[in-house]
Amino acid sequence: MKEKMLWPLFSKQVFKTHLDVSDVDLSNIKWAKNYQNWISTSQTVLEDPAYEKLTEQIYINLSEYFYGIMQASQNVNLVITESWFNKTEKGQSHHRHWHPNSILSGVVYLDSVGESGRIKFITSQYDTIEYNINEPNLYNSRSWSVAPEAGTMVVFPSNVEHLVEPYEGDTPRISLAFNTFVRGNI
């Protein structure tokens, strides 16, 4: 009998892990209106010494993803080029988008706010025929959501389209987002 194989060819690897965010202080953050939510006025928040521990944790996990899982060459260094906080209040969301001019992007949730306000990843590949499915899974889904939970970090290729579903909590949903690029020989 011949062996059966299933190859998830050309998949987009989304990495989820957990960080200690218990000592992240947001009391000095200045906020500005974004499309459908609030964003920090600083786009380089991880350069602030107050977030040094958080930055170190992010880099450790980025290295695990980039060099470990994706097996990227050590000839390049992955660096965070932009980082900002998002505040989403009841009824707000984040529009469908991707992050141009970036290699990997990520989000770190700083509080647990329940199931609403999930980040939703959406495929930009379109099938010739779309058929109904009995049970969604990683092989047949056109979208996949992750619930915001304090300390959860999600890393994904920057070209993966995503959005944040409407948030229905009574206290603001706070997250940190970041983009990366490479330095070195590519």
Side-chain angles (χ1 to χ4, degrees):
M1 176 179 263
K2 292 202 175 204
E3 176 182 3
K4 295 181 181 182
M5 301 287 296
L6 178 64
W7 294 321
L9 292 177
F10 317 119
S11 62
K12 301 287 187 174
Q13 292 70 31
V14 176
F15 178 65
K16 179 181 170 188
T17 189
H18 194 80
L19 309 181
D20 177 9
V21 296
S22 60
D23 62 351
V24 176
D25 180 12
L26 301 173
S27 61
N28 293 323
I29 300 301
K30 292 182 176 81
W31 299 100
K33 188 72 174 141
N34 200 9
Y35 296 99
Q36 300 167 344
N37 65 311
W38 297 91
I39 189 169
S40 60
T41 56
S42 171
Q43 301 294 291
T44 56
V45 296
L46 289 178
E47 293 178 13
D48 186 326
Y51 305 116
E52 182 177 0
K53 180 181 169 190
L54 179 60
T55 304
E56 288 174 6
Q57 291 182 84
I58 289 170
Y59 269 114
I60 288 168
N61 286 284
L62 279 173
S63 291
E64 181 179 344
Y65 177 98
F66 192 61
Y67 302 113
I69 295 168
M70 298 309 298
Q71 291 293 300
S73 169
Q74 298 283 335
N75 291 340
V76 296
N77 291 320
L78 189 67
V79 295
I80 296 172
T81 56
E82 299 172 287
S83 55
W84 63 96
F85 291 111
N86 288 298
K87 178 169 64 170
T88 309
E89 296 177 332
K90 189 171 191 158
Q92 293 182 330
S93 60
H94 299 213
H95 65 287
R96 184 173 176 165
H97 65 284
W98 63 92
H99 296 236
N101 303 315
S102 178
I103 304 293
L104 298 175
S105 295
V107 61
V108 178
Y109 297 104
L110 300 176
D111 52 8
S112 292
V113 291
E115 287 291 314
S116 72
R118 296 165 72 94
I119 187 169
K120 183 176 186 178
F121 298 99
I122 306 151
T123 182
S124 57
Q125 296 176 329
Y126 297 95
D127 295 324
T128 306
I129 298 174
E130 291 185 12
Y131 51 88
N132 293 329
I133 56 174
N134 293 323
E135 191 172 325
N137 62 44
L138 289 175
Y139 299 105
N140 64 15
S141 294
R142 302 209 40 83
S143 66
W144 199 262
S145 297
V146 177
E149 181 182 324
T152 295
M153 178 171 130
V154 181
V155 178
F156 51 93
S158 299
N159 65 349
V160 173
E161 288 188 76
H162 57 285
L163 57 83
V164 173
E165 297 171 339
Y167 176 59
E168 297 306 324
D170 293 323
T171 59
R173 170 194 176 276
I174 307 290
S175 63
L176 165 81
F178 60 86
N179 288 327
T180 67
F181 206 74
V182 290
R183 288 191 186 135
N185 296 322
I186 54 174

